[in-house]
Amino acid sequence: MGPSRIEFLEQALKTSPENTFMRYALAMEIANSERPEAAWEHFQYLLQRHPDYAATYLQAGMYLIKQGKEQEARNVFKKGIEVTRRQGNLHALSELESACEDLQEDS
């Protein structure tokens, strides 16, 4: 049996640490694993070093909600709304606005 997807992605990042898609995929795999708390370092890396990588905002916010950090999630969604609006990325913008509204309704 070969390496797990997490192991594969971790190895891939060693050779290409700035590969945003690989890091995003790794964060997602870890977030859905038995050790989800380790995903935040990858989401945070993307948010800080690749702030225009729009996909990160929705998933990082959803991750924070699962961790019980609603205010932090709201902040991530709002930043993502700014980024996707500037990019003209209407699909991601719509998803982020909806997630932010849902979070406010649940508060």
Side-chain angles (χ1 to χ4, degrees):
M1 187 161 125
S4 71
R5 287 191 287 204
I6 290 173
E7 291 168 333
F8 172 80
L9 292 165
E10 287 173 336
Q11 286 298 318
L13 273 180
K14 286 181 182 177
T15 60
S16 185
E18 292 301 314
N19 185 315
T20 54
F21 178 75
M22 288 286 192
R23 189 167 300 274
Y24 174 77
L26 178 58
M28 294 299 296
E29 286 293 327
I30 294 172
N32 294 311
S33 75
E34 294 177 7
R35 56 180 183 120
E37 62 283 347
W40 181 244
E41 73 180 75
H42 297 289
F43 282 129
Q44 191 171 34
Y45 180 95
L46 289 166
L47 292 169
Q48 291 173 352
R49 299 199 45 173
H50 299 281
D52 288 335
Y53 195 70
T56 305
Y57 292 94
L58 180 63
Q59 295 304 323
M62 299 305 280
Y63 169 82
L64 288 167
I65 290 170
K66 288 180 184 175
Q67 302 305 309
K69 298 178 179 182
E70 288 84 7
Q71 184 57 48
E72 292 94 333
R74 190 174 291 108
N75 293 339
V76 168
F77 291 150
K78 287 181 179 180
K79 177 65 177 168
I81 288 168
E82 292 172 20
V83 168
T84 55
R85 184 172 286 135
R86 183 175 22 90
Q87 292 174 341
N89 185 341
L90 300 180
H91 179 74
L93 174 61
S94 174
E95 288 182 326
L96 286 160
E97 288 174 335
S98 178
C100 197
E101 288 169 13
D102 289 348
L103 187 57
Q104 290 173 343
E105 289 172 7
D106 293 341
S107 297

